[in-house]
Amino acid sequence: MIVLGIESSCDETSAAVVRDGRECLSDVIASQIEIHRRFGGVVPEIAGRNHLLAVIPAVDEALRKAGVKKEELDAVAVTYGAGLIGCLLVGVSAAKAIAYALGIPLVKVNHIQGHIAANFIAFPELEPPLLSLVASGGHTSIVSVEDYNTYVPVSATLDDAIGESFDKVARILGLPYPGGPEIDKRAKRGSANIKFCPNLHVRGDLSYTFSGLKTAVVNYVHNLKQRGEEIPVDDVCASFTAEAVGYTVDTFIRCAEERGVKRLVLAGGVAANSYLRSLLAAECEKRGFELFVPPPSLCTDNAAMIAARGSFALKDGKDIAGLDLNARSVI
Ligand code: KG4
Ligand code: ZN
């Protein structure tokens, strides 16, 4: 089964060809990072217009790199949400047109489920059931994957996503967009000697909240600026990372223990964070949990993960969409 995937939910236009949900034949990513950097973040209208320019060339390149003719495709899988509506609409419209022209099924893919499915490409032997943490610019969610097509949301953030808080903290520190990788680099040089939010687990349940931590960092930096004092950027990065990641990992591990699940996977752009990867690996090792973490290229937005998720759905006749499929900013 050969599936073309299309992803355009934020600032990456991506097209990929995947065989049997597991084998990535091509994964073309046209990143808009340089375009949005001068604004310090993604400008939705500009992102949508650039997706429009990039989507068909990305599809052509994905087919060429995979050595697959469009007539050989069995289906088109596309991210229909969650994401920026004007951006999603470009991918959805392109996917509909291709599916209609080729007379093949159109499969709608939930972006969060797509992130998780990246693990099925990275680890061809991996099978559900498993518990996954999706840590990205738009989401911080724990999802229980009960079988290949049953994804049950367990917990999510009440406010900001973890990646969003990385990006906001980076911005206040004057670091370039996207802030996550910059903070990751700086944190390695700094020391985690500043306490921002003493108790992030204040609610005592499995939900996440990052806005308090973000605000504490912003206030700390503003206070130093007002007093004309130098900002210890590397220490702020290390301290913020320690709190944000420590809290994220604690909650995820607690969730796994409560549910008695021993197979864990990580997904989403923030899964590229070196401290998150190492802390989670250490905590899993202590408890004898299996942990799967995809390579960074499959953690950030890409269409291979969308094609993978779509392939498993197609196999069971699930999530087949009509040409009336619409994009959704929230799912
Ligand atoms: O999954 P993704 O590509 O897009 C969304 O679906 O949101 O995630 C992008 C997010 C951004 O917030 C970016 O700063 C963050 O992932 N990110 C990182 C790292 N690499 C990317 N955050 C922390 N450390 C990193 N190394
Ligand atoms: Zn994403």
Side-chain angles (χ1 to χ4, degrees):
M1 188 204 303
I2 299 182
V3 172
L4 170 71
I6 298 180
E7 156 64 37
S8 68
S9 65
C10 190
D11 60 345
E12 261 105 23
T13 321
S14 181
V17 179
V18 168
R19 180 184 283 138
D20 296 331
R22 298 274 186 179
E23 192 190 345
C24 179
L25 303 180
S26 65
D27 193 10
V28 173
I29 301 171
S31 173
Q32 299 181 19
I33 284 180
E34 292 308 324
I35 296 169
H36 297 283
R37 183 165 278 153
R38 83 184 94 140
F39 305 106
V42 178
V43 183
E45 170 75 3
I46 294 175
R49 286 169 189 272
N50 280 285
H51 283 306
L52 206 51
L53 298 175
V55 69
I56 296 303
V59 168
D60 285 342
E61 198 181 333
L63 289 169
R64 189 177 50 72
K65 280 195 168 154
V68 165
K69 295 193 191 71
K70 55 185 187 306
E71 295 74 23
E72 293 175 273
L73 293 172
D74 292 300
V76 186
V78 65
T79 306
Y80 77 107
L84 300 170
I85 196 78
C87 296
L88 289 163
L89 277 169
V90 176
V92 167
S93 304
K96 280 187 199 176
I98 293 168
Y100 178 70
L102 297 174
I104 54 177
L106 174 69
V107 187
K108 59 175 188 173
V109 174
N110 170 321
H111 185 76
I112 297 184
Q113 295 180 6
H115 270 299
I116 298 167
N119 282 281
F120 294 129
I121 297 176
F123 307 102
E125 309 299 319
L126 177 66
E127 288 182 7
L130 47 90
L131 194 68
S132 62
L133 171 67
V134 182
S136 76
H139 311 277
T140 319
S141 312
I142 300 177
V143 179
S144 167
V145 182
E146 325 239 300
D147 61 47
Y148 285 112
N149 287 310
T150 310
Y151 288 63
V152 180
V154 176
S155 154
T157 177
L158 300 168
D159 40 56
D160 295 359
I162 183 170
E164 189 183 349
S165 63
F166 267 89
D167 294 338
K168 294 258 168 66
V169 165
R171 194 171 174 170
I172 200 85
L173 291 170
L175 303 176
Y177 174 83
E182 286 294 320
I183 291 189
D184 197 358
K185 256 189 265 163
R186 296 275 194 148
K188 287 183 190 145
R189 305 202 292 254
S191 126
N193 54 8
I194 310 162
K195 292 280 163 279
F196 293 117
C197 261
N199 185 14
L200 280 162
H201 292 284
V202 67
R203 285 173 56 90
D205 60 14
L206 292 172
S207 53
Y208 285 110
T209 165
F210 291 94
S211 67
L213 173 59
K214 179 191 72 184
T215 307
V217 179
V218 169
N219 288 345
Y220 174 88
V221 172
H222 277 159
N223 278 337
L224 287 186
K225 276 188 187 162
Q226 276 164 0
R227 294 205 296 265
E229 290 175 26
E230 198 184 322
I231 297 156
V233 175
D234 294 351
D235 293 349
V236 172
C237 291
S239 307
F240 163 74
T241 301
E243 286 191 18
V245 169
Y247 163 62
T248 303
V249 169
D250 279 357
T251 309
F252 186 38
I253 293 282
R254 215 177 82 212
C255 182
E257 284 175 334
E258 281 178 16
R259 300 177 74 91
V261 184
K262 290 184 182 322
R263 186 175 298 147
L264 272 54
V265 307
L266 194 52
V270 184
N273 183 268
S274 55
Y275 184 59
L276 175 56
R277 295 167 90 92
S278 62
L279 182 65
L280 188 56
E283 294 301 320
C284 285
E285 196 177 340
K286 266 191 227 163
R287 292 166 177 83
F289 290 174
E290 276 183 288
L291 174 66
F292 297 86
V293 183
S297 59
L298 281 171
C299 288
T300 43
D301 287 348
N302 67 86
M305 68 188 197
I306 302 303
R309 177 68 196 101
S311 302
F312 288 107
L314 181 70
K315 214 166 144 197
D316 281 0
K318 301 252 164 75
D319 297 331
I320 310 295
L323 293 178
D324 57 350
L325 175 67
N326 208 350
R328 289 175 58 179
S329 55
V330 180
I331 296 187

